[in-house]
Amino acid sequence: MRTKGAKTLQGIIPILVTPFDAEYRIDEESLANLVEFNIDAGVHGLGVALGSEIFKLSESERRQLVRAVIDAVGGRVPVVVNSSAAGTALAVLYAADAEEEGADALMVHPPHFMPVGAAEILEFYRTVDAAVSIPIVLQDIPQAPIPPSLAIRIAEICPNARYIKVENPPVATRVWEMVAAVGSRLGVFGGAGGTYFIEELRRGAVGTMPFCSQPAAFVDVLELFGSGDETGARKLFQKAIMPVNHLAMQGGDVFYHIHKSMLVRQGILRGAAVLGPTTPIDSITKTEIETLLADLFPTAQAFGTWNADPNKPRALA
């Protein structure tokens, strides 16, 4: 655990994938490599969230993952931890645990398994907010949308609610509407893999939270855009990032397999295991992934792999 500090969230905050070994234990060595890979690329923060498969982890595994990331980061950039849950008490537990481990901020979307009304969502956030003292990033997702009017009400009653990550389509339009409505009350981030990153920047987003397999490309796009070279930013985005997002967004959870395979090919992770249940990758998609990897990393050689079976029962810690 380390001492928390007040840090502004902005820029590129990739959501880390969770590497697993052949027995589906968290591979902390690969995780440390992944943290260094992203920090070396100049990212402005790191996240542990839905893209980390955190919703499939036991509570002890969740604590292990958060602790390992925070220890590896060592205070160099802010760490955002998703503490969403289907129940208020569980969300409070996850939030308090993350703060205790040294997280710099939390990310929380409304409960959606059993949908509730605006009043209950407000009470949910008020309870979580009262239990912690670090910033909260509201998360607007398709399953649990947070319209601008509700975001403003949450910010009014929750002093720690300082940001919102907009992932509800159409994302660019929603970012624009959110920025116009919340003004300076909430910093607005884009998400959804960063597919509409440039469109979000044009509309006032303070950053994005993409996957962690291409941190340098996202940082370079942001710097080009910030310097006024929107043409250069757009060309780089279309060349380096869009082909990945195009393949990753074809449905199911194929994006986990693609981003982990990219990191294996770059020598960052030892394996691309994804926790089950997971969408089987058909032979055509496998060929498409391999073609993409060969195009992006023509000379790269993976330094290892785990032949993990996602249907194999795993021992929970």
Side-chain angles (χ1 to χ4, degrees):
M1 179 179 156
R2 61 181 173 78
T3 302
K4 303 180 295 295
K7 299 177 181 178
T8 300
L9 301 182
Q10 60 185 5
I12 308 301
I13 304 180
I15 304 302
L16 298 169
V17 298
T18 302
F20 301 101
D21 66 17
E23 299 300 321
Y24 286 97
R25 297 167 299 203
I26 295 172
D27 179 0
E28 292 195 21
E29 182 180 346
S30 288
L31 184 61
N33 289 343
L34 181 59
V35 168
E36 292 305 315
F37 172 66
N38 276 264
I39 290 179
D40 287 348
V43 301
H44 308 94
L46 289 169
V48 176
L50 303 183
S52 315
E53 299 174 81
I54 197 170
F55 57 95
K56 296 182 180 179
L57 301 181
S58 69
E59 289 180 13
S60 60
E61 288 172 327
R62 176 188 286 258
R63 292 188 185 102
Q64 178 190 356
L65 175 61
V66 171
R67 184 179 304 120
V69 169
I70 289 172
D71 286 347
V73 170
R76 290 174 289 176
V77 296
V79 175
V80 181
V81 176
N82 191 300
S83 60
S84 305
T88 303
L90 193 55
V92 168
L93 173 66
Y94 290 159
D97 281 352
E99 181 174 24
E100 176 66 22
E101 292 298 338
D104 296 287
L106 306 169
M107 184 156 58
V108 186
H109 62 66
H112 59 81
F113 178 69
M114 296 293 285
V116 294
E120 289 76 22
I121 291 173
L122 284 167
E123 181 61 17
F124 167 80
Y125 276 109
R126 188 199 64 75
T127 304
V128 174
D129 182 84
V132 298
S133 60
I134 55 178
I136 294 174
V137 182
L138 310 179
Q139 189 174 13
D140 166 50
I141 60 175
Q143 304 92 324
I146 303 177
S149 59
L150 181 56
I152 292 171
R153 292 173 66 189
I154 295 170
E156 287 174 346
I157 68 169
C158 298
N160 294 312
R162 301 178 198 172
Y163 306 92
I164 185 166
K165 180 185 180 186
V166 175
E167 300 186 276
N168 207 9
V171 177
T173 300
R174 287 298 298 266
V175 165
W176 194 11
E177 293 171 348
M178 193 68 70
V179 169
V182 303
S184 61
R185 283 182 264 195
L186 296 171
V188 179
F189 278 89
T195 301
Y196 297 98
F197 182 35
I198 292 177
E199 290 84 355
E200 292 161 359
L201 289 175
R202 291 186 188 127
R203 290 159 174 80
V206 299
T208 192
M209 298 186 189
F211 270 93
C212 58
S213 56
Q214 298 175 284
F218 274 99
V219 170
D220 288 347
V221 168
L222 179 62
E223 291 181 350
L224 286 167
F225 187 92
S227 71
D229 185 4
E230 186 174 326
T231 299
R234 189 174 65 253
K235 287 181 177 178
L236 176 58
F237 186 89
Q238 293 292 338
K239 178 181 179 181
I241 297 172
M242 201 58 219
V244 177
N245 285 16
H246 176 77
L247 184 57
M249 292 300 154
Q250 62 180 301
D253 64 352
V254 67
F255 51 86
Y256 287 126
H257 298 275
I258 291 173
H259 290 288
K260 287 188 174 184
S261 295
M262 289 174 63
L263 290 161
V264 169
R265 182 63 64 95
Q266 294 174 87
I268 308 303
L269 306 185
R270 285 185 285 194
V274 177
L275 293 183
T278 181
T279 304
I281 304 301
D282 60 68
S283 59
I284 295 176
T285 303
K286 286 180 181 178
T287 300
E288 291 170 341
I289 293 174
E290 185 55 40
T291 300
L292 175 67
L293 295 177
D295 288 344
L296 292 174
F297 316 111
T299 62
Q301 296 292 325
F303 73 87
T305 188
W306 298 111
N307 295 316
D309 177 4
N311 297 313
K312 176 181 176 181
R314 64 191 182 101
L316 292 179

